[in-house]
């Protein structure tokens, strides 16, 4: 079942996080910017549009009514739906993006396979997430029962997400990382580096290559 209750109830608190942690948000945007290709994109779990809008993504899928409302007010065309059952035809988009969404879906593998279905040949998937094995990830995991948003979340390591991407049919996996300090210690926009294993926020991109028959 989609985990929408907390987002419908606390949607204002969700948006306020980005103001409170503006430097971390900017670092996340800088990371995603390195992975975004040209073309027509879709964000799964578009929320209030915090990541879609900066990259010109005009379409999104969102199960939360309140979040979808806000995204639509900002000019995004939102379809209510869940990641495991996308209401789009095969080969509809040049790329699909999920940012801090994979930890909330019921079935990550089915989600990524469904995303692959609607991506055009040689198109891309971009997944942004908090690495469970990072310092911040471990803190979120430890305290998630006390969190408004993360109580229903399942956090994954970078290795697990890379495996999910490969097992769902994506190749040429590349990754970037940022946010190397606890959020309350960040004094400037942190750098973005290749790979994973040090940063808390990870972005991975996989390519849909046509299968040879």
């Amino acid at each position: 079942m989609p985990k929408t209750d907390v987002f419908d109830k606390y949607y204002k608190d969700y948006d306020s996080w980005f103001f409170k942690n503006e430097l971390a948000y900017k670092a996340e945007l800088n990371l995603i910017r390195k992975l975004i290709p040209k073309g027509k994109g879709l964000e799964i779990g578009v929320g209030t549009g915090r990541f879609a809008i900066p990259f010109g993504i005009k379409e999104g899928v969102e199960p939360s009514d309140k979040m979808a409302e806000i995204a639509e007010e900002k000019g995004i065309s939102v379809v209510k739906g869940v990641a495991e059952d996308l209401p789009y035809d095969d080969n509809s988009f040049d790329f699909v993006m999920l940012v801090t969404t994979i930890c909330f879906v019921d079935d990550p593998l089915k989600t990524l396979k469904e995303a692959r279905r609607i991506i055009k040949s040689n198109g891309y998937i971009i997944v942004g997430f908090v690495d469970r094995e990072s310092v911040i990830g471990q803190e979120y995991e430890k305290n998630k029962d006390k969190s408004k948003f993360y109580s229903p979340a399942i956090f994954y390591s970078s290795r697990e997400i890379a495996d999910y991407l490969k097992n769902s049919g994506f190749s040429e996996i590349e990754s970037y990382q940022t946010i190397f300090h606890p959020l309350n210690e960040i004094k400037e926009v942190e750098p973005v580096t290749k790979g994973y294993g040090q940063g808390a926020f990870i972005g991975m991109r996989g390519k849909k290559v046509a299968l040879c028959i």
Side-chain angles (χ1 to χ4, degrees), residues 122-137:
N122 295 316
Y124 294 91
I125 187 165
I126 299 100
V127 183
F129 61 97
V130 175
D131 188 332
R132 187 188 64 218
E133 294 182 347
S134 68
V135 173
I136 290 177

Side-chain angles (χ1 to χ4, degrees), residues 105-117:
V105 303
D106 291 333
D107 189 331
L109 186 59
K110 188 175 181 181
T111 291
L112 296 178
K113 285 182 176 180
E114 183 68 349
R116 188 182 187 281
R117 178 184 66 78

Side-chain angles (χ1 to χ4, degrees), residues 120-158:
K120 298 175 183 178
S121 181
N122 295 316
Y124 294 91
I125 187 165
I126 299 100
V127 183
F129 61 97
V130 175
D131 188 332
R132 187 188 64 218
E133 294 182 347
S134 68
V135 173
I136 290 177
Q138 290 176 7
E139 188 70 16
Y140 281 179
E141 180 71 31
K142 179 182 176 182
N143 297 305
K144 70 177 187 176
D145 289 341
K146 303 172 188 174
S147 169
K148 290 177 181 175
F149 296 107
Y150 285 129
S151 56
I154 299 175
F155 296 103
Y156 300 96
S157 70
S158 293

